[in-house]
Amino acid sequence: MSNKLLKVNIHKELNEFDLDVDFELKNGCLGILGPSGCGKSMTLKSIAGIVDPDNGIVSLTTGEKTVYFDSDKKINLKPQKRNVGYLFQNYALFPNMTVEENVGIGLPNNDENVVSEMIRRFHLEGLEKRYPRQLSGGQQQRVALARIMAYGPDVILLDEPFSAMDTVLKEQLRRELANFLNKFSGFSVLVTHDRDEAFQFCDELIILDKGKIIAKGKTVDLFENPGKVEVARLTGCKNISKIEIIDDYHVKSLDWDVTFEVSEKVSPNIAYIGIRAHDIYPGQKDDVNALDASNSSKLEMPFEWQITLTNGLLWKLDKQMREHEFEIPKYLKVDPKNILLLEE
């Protein structure tokens, strides 16, 4: 049984809000998902030692325990003393250094054997003498990862590594990074505001809003049962409505003016429901949770139809690229188990 543990419990006063983050990671990749300016990057910088929390503790156990920061014991290791690799949004490569110089910059005596191994491992052969400006975005990311991995970090911190990329490059690098993280035996923490990235990379997930953790758990569980309105929004739920509770298993949507049957007993603290746009299906007038789809508007995307009902509900349906005709059914339906019960 592994006794590896990354522990973060910190507090820091910021201008807009107070950052209060408390989590433990025992293996794999942790995602921190939230809107811009919610404290995600500040959390990473506190782990790395770039920023000092006001109080709290950051520690790493990998057989033996290393305390990075402890306000009570006045411990605060410098960033270079923490075995942490930080992948910045822009990769932070040195523009006046070649690929091999960038990879070896953190090594004692610029160890040529380690540099050669990283060049091979990250498929950078033939690029050793090039400068960052002569590399593609994907090559730059691989150089940055090679530089991090050259000194064998225990923790890798990824700060929105795909935020400034076009769609084609983003898809390619997501695959490459996913393969890399699958083979990495240490801890990784990914900061993102992109729900697809969070789902693809992260075993565990924290939802951060204005410096506070509003949800945490297994990524798939939080997507399937977000529990709160803001968590549902951040995990991509497009249909959210305030409700009136009719009885234990029925609620009235105040935004869509529809009464729905739900599969779980509705507790008094449920104030909203959510319906994911792909969880709506063609139906009949007499179906449970039937929806009148007449006079709906239709928008064609390359690989999906987006249908908006007159009451504002959005339905998304996968399509083929060469499929350009689609007749909207007269009625749609929502399975009671696909209605998310949400607290404020």
Side-chain angles (χ1 to χ4, degrees):
M1 182 175 171
S2 172
N3 60 351
K4 291 167 53 177
L5 180 69
L6 175 66
K7 179 179 175 61
V8 178
N9 184 352
I10 54 171
H11 173 84
K12 185 172 180 64
E13 288 187 23
L14 304 174
N15 290 335
E16 305 81 9
F17 50 77
D18 287 357
L19 179 67
D20 282 298
V21 177
D22 182 6
F23 66 83
E24 293 183 351
L25 180 62
K26 295 181 178 176
N27 54 56
C29 182
L30 172 78
I32 304 179
L33 177 67
S36 297
C38 72
K40 302 188 302 294
S41 293
M42 190 64 70
T43 302
L44 284 197
K45 288 173 181 173
S46 297
I47 298 171
I50 299 168
V51 165
D52 295 338
D54 295 333
N55 54 67
I57 186 166
V58 180
S59 67
L60 177 72
T61 303
T62 54
E64 59 184 42
K65 184 175 180 178
T66 304
V67 178
Y68 291 159
F69 177 85
D70 188 326
S71 55
D72 290 342
K73 296 180 179 177
K74 304 290 190 289
I75 297 172
N76 189 6
L77 294 187
K78 294 185 185 307
Q80 55 268 36
K81 296 290 185 183
R82 307 183 186 200
N83 202 19
V84 172
Y86 199 122
L87 186 67
F88 294 90
Q89 289 183 26
N90 62 359
Y91 307 136
L93 299 177
F94 294 100
N96 59 336
M97 290 186 180
T98 63
V99 165
E100 59 187 3
E101 289 169 341
N102 265 288
V103 171
I105 188 66
L107 295 172
N109 306 317
N110 212 326
D111 191 314
E112 290 184 7
N113 291 331
V114 175
V115 171
S116 296
E117 168 62 17
M118 291 301 125
I119 294 290
R120 182 196 63 75
R121 182 170 166 186
F122 286 90
H123 311 294
L124 296 166
E125 298 97 330
L127 304 176
E128 293 91 339
K129 304 299 181 186
R130 291 193 188 180
Y131 292 90
R133 66 180 178 276
Q134 299 171 308
L135 303 175
S136 69
Q139 290 165 340
Q140 288 181 28
Q141 188 191 68
R142 293 209 299 276
V143 173
L145 282 169
R147 181 176 64 186
I148 288 170
M149 293 306 295
Y151 57 89
D154 296 312
V155 182
I156 294 177
L157 307 175
L158 304 148
D159 194 351
E160 304 213 33
F162 310 107
S163 60
M165 295 180 187
D166 62 59
T167 304
V168 175
L169 180 59
K170 188 181 292 188
E171 289 301 320
Q172 174 195 338
L173 293 189
R174 276 180 176 175
R175 288 195 299 272
E176 287 189 12
L177 186 59
N179 290 334
F180 164 72
L181 290 178
N182 284 338
K183 297 171 186 172
F184 179 57
S185 60
F187 296 105
S188 51
V189 183
L190 170 72
V191 152
T192 183
H193 60 263
D194 185 307
R195 60 99 195 269
D196 290 345
E197 285 174 17
F199 195 89
Q200 179 180 4
F201 290 105
C202 307
D203 311 290
E204 305 274 336
L205 192 61
I206 284 171
I207 311 287
L208 204 59
D209 188 36
K210 295 177 183 171
K212 304 288 186 289
I213 295 176
I214 60 172
K216 60 182 173 181
K218 291 189 179 301
T219 302
V220 290
D221 293 343
L222 287 180
F223 272 75
E224 288 174 11
N225 186 20
K228 294 181 180 176
V229 169
E230 193 57 27
V231 179
R233 285 199 185 100
L234 287 168
T235 55
C237 185
K238 297 292 188 281
N239 299 308
I240 296 175
S241 170
K242 198 162 181 60
I243 60 157
E244 176 185 305
I245 298 173
I246 306 297
D247 59 35
D248 284 351
Y249 291 93
H250 293 87
V251 298
K252 182 180 181 182
S253 154
L254 301 180
D255 293 71
W256 310 315
D257 194 25
V258 178
T259 296
F260 289 99
E261 179 181 315
V262 298
S263 62
E264 294 179 45
K265 187 174 180 179
V266 184
S267 62
N269 55 337
I270 298 299
Y272 291 81
I273 57 169
I275 301 171
R276 297 201 183 273
H278 284 94
D279 281 344
I280 299 173
Y281 298 93
Q284 306 295 327
K285 184 177 182 179
D286 297 330
D287 285 335
V288 172
N289 296 338
L291 301 165
D292 187 345
S294 53
N295 300 316
S296 298
S297 61
K298 179 171 62 176
L299 179 65
E300 181 181 4
M301 305 298 284
F303 300 107
E304 70 178 13
W305 295 103
Q306 297 185 2
I307 314 297
T308 305
L309 279 61
T310 54
N311 63 7
L313 264 167
L314 176 67
W315 174 36
K316 290 187 177 183
L317 179 70
D318 292 341
K319 66 178 275 292
Q320 301 296 316
M321 172 63 87
R322 293 180 176 81
E323 171 194 328
H324 302 297
E325 298 296 328
F326 174 65
E327 186 173 339
I328 301 172
K330 184 164 175 51
Y331 291 96
L332 302 174
K333 65 179 179 181
V334 184
D335 192 312
K337 74 175 188 297
N338 287 334
I339 295 177
L340 306 172
L341 301 178
L342 306 170
E343 297 178 13
E344 185 77 65

